[in-house]
Each structure stands twice: as structure tokens, then as C-alpha cells.
Amino acid sequence: MAEVTDAALPQYPDHQIKQILRNVKTIAMVGASGNEIRPSYFAMMYLLNKGYKIIPVNPGMAGKEILGQTVYASLKDIPAPVDMPVDMVDIFREAKYAPDIARETVAEKDRLGVTVLWMQLGVISPEAERIGQEAGLTVIMNRCPKIEHGRFSGELGWMGVNRKVIDNRKPLLFGKGGSLKRL
């Protein structure tokens, strides 16, 4: 497989990322970890605290809980949603697993209501991207919803990232304290 360079990676306009973060309410996080020092654990905790419903998917932890949320072995094991769809599948696994996860997402998309396939930072798979797009999913690759949320809410600076911008304007996407604000 040919290596994908940064220049070849898709660029996503801010309005697209904002729209996804505004509209998504439930996220199935494939590769969620119960280990407090893993990035997926921190991302899950952050997103839960921002009001998203997170469904962890990890076959090694199926039936247990991560941050009070029941863990499922696979997407097909998640019960069909009664009150709200699983809007997004967030892949927190190595890129070599992304095509299979994309196929499973496509197989379960109608039952679960999935509209977005998101691949975390470092997860770059043109094959998974193609699989998702051909099925009509919005696909985001090599981005983190936690970081994007923090970027648009103004909290990114609080997380140790110096944007080198002094700004006293209220963020357009999120309200006071970084809570989700519907525009």
C-alpha cells in the first residue's frame, strides 16, 4: 500500500466539522479503553462531560463498563436504538483495522442510524474512507472529535495548546463553559 502524505490527506472545512459536532448526539467508540492513561479513555471522558452519549466498543471488555457505560464487543452487538440513533462511529484502532470496521459500520448503519464514520488522529485509511463514502456516510479521517470540540469551544488553550491568539469573543459553536450550543 502506498504511503499517504500529509499533503494527500483530505482537508475538512471548519463548518463541516462544526456541523457534525452540533448534530451528533451518540457516538460508538470502537477501541475504547478502560485504561485511564489511554487517549481513548480521556477522549471518552471529555465527550461524555460535553453531553454526548458514548457507547464503548471493545471485545476484550464486552459486558463491563467504562466510565459507567456498558461495553459491547462489536457494532452488531449494540442494541437497536430506541430513543436516538448512533450518529457516529469513531474508530480508535490502528489504521489496518479501519477497513473492516468501516464494513461493519456500513452493515449496521441502517439499523443503528449511523451517518458519520470518523477516524482518529493517525488513523489514515483511504480504503475505509472509500467504503464509508460509497455507502453514503460522511467520513472524517485523521482528526479527533475531542480536540475539534476543544478547538471550537475555546478550550483548546486550556488543554496546553498555545494558539498564539488573544481573543475575548464568545465562541460561535459553544456556549459558556464549552457546553454545546445549538445555533
Side-chain angles (χ1 to χ4, degrees):
M1 182 170 135
E3 185 175 324
V4 178
T5 64
D6 285 345
L9 287 174
Q11 300 299 311
Y12 308 103
D14 284 350
H15 69 85
Q16 180 185 27
I17 301 295
K18 285 180 184 180
Q19 182 180 27
I20 291 169
L21 294 174
R22 277 189 203 113
N23 294 335
V24 163
K25 293 178 180 57
T26 303
I27 302 168
M29 187 177 284
V30 179
S33 174
N35 184 338
E36 295 176 1
I37 64 170
R38 302 288 301 179
S40 64
Y41 184 91
F42 185 70
M44 183 175 165
M45 181 173 56
Y46 177 90
L47 293 169
L48 281 168
N49 285 328
K50 296 304 174 188
Y52 295 94
K53 178 179 179 186
I54 308 295
I55 301 170
V57 178
N58 180 330
M61 293 191 66
K64 297 178 182 172
E65 288 188 354
I66 299 174
L67 295 167
Q69 309 305 305
T70 302
V71 181
Y72 295 92
S74 67
L75 294 173
K76 69 178 186 229
D77 295 324
I78 297 172
V82 176
D83 53 350
M84 65 177 74
V86 177
D87 306 296
M88 181 168 89
V89 171
D90 181 11
I91 301 176
F92 238 118
R93 299 283 320 273
E94 291 178 60
K96 66 183 178 183
Y97 300 111
D100 287 337
I101 296 167
R103 285 184 197 91
E104 185 180 9
T105 299
V106 168
E108 299 297 324
K109 83 177 184 91
D110 291 334
R111 184 179 70 82
L112 295 176
V114 180
T115 59
V116 178
L117 178 64
W118 189 298
M119 292 177 257
Q120 280 290 337
L121 284 175
V123 182
I124 301 165
S125 173
E127 182 182 1
E129 179 184 45
R130 179 188 52 77
I131 292 165
Q133 287 175 341
E134 286 178 358
L137 296 173
T138 299
V139 180
I140 303 294
M141 186 166 52
N142 194 36
R143 294 281 187 103
C144 175
K146 174 190 74 66
I147 291 172
E148 296 301 323
H149 187 286
R151 184 167 72 95
F152 293 124
S153 70
E155 292 179 349
L156 196 57
W158 303 349
M159 293 183 235
V161 177
N162 183 354
R163 298 182 306 136
K164 297 184 180 176
V165 174
I166 297 174
D167 189 347
N168 68 348
R169 291 174 289 158
K170 185 176 180 179
L172 298 176
L173 176 64
F174 300 100
K176 185 176 180 181
S179 61
L180 192 59
K181 178 181 178 185
R182 303 283 179 204
L183 296 179

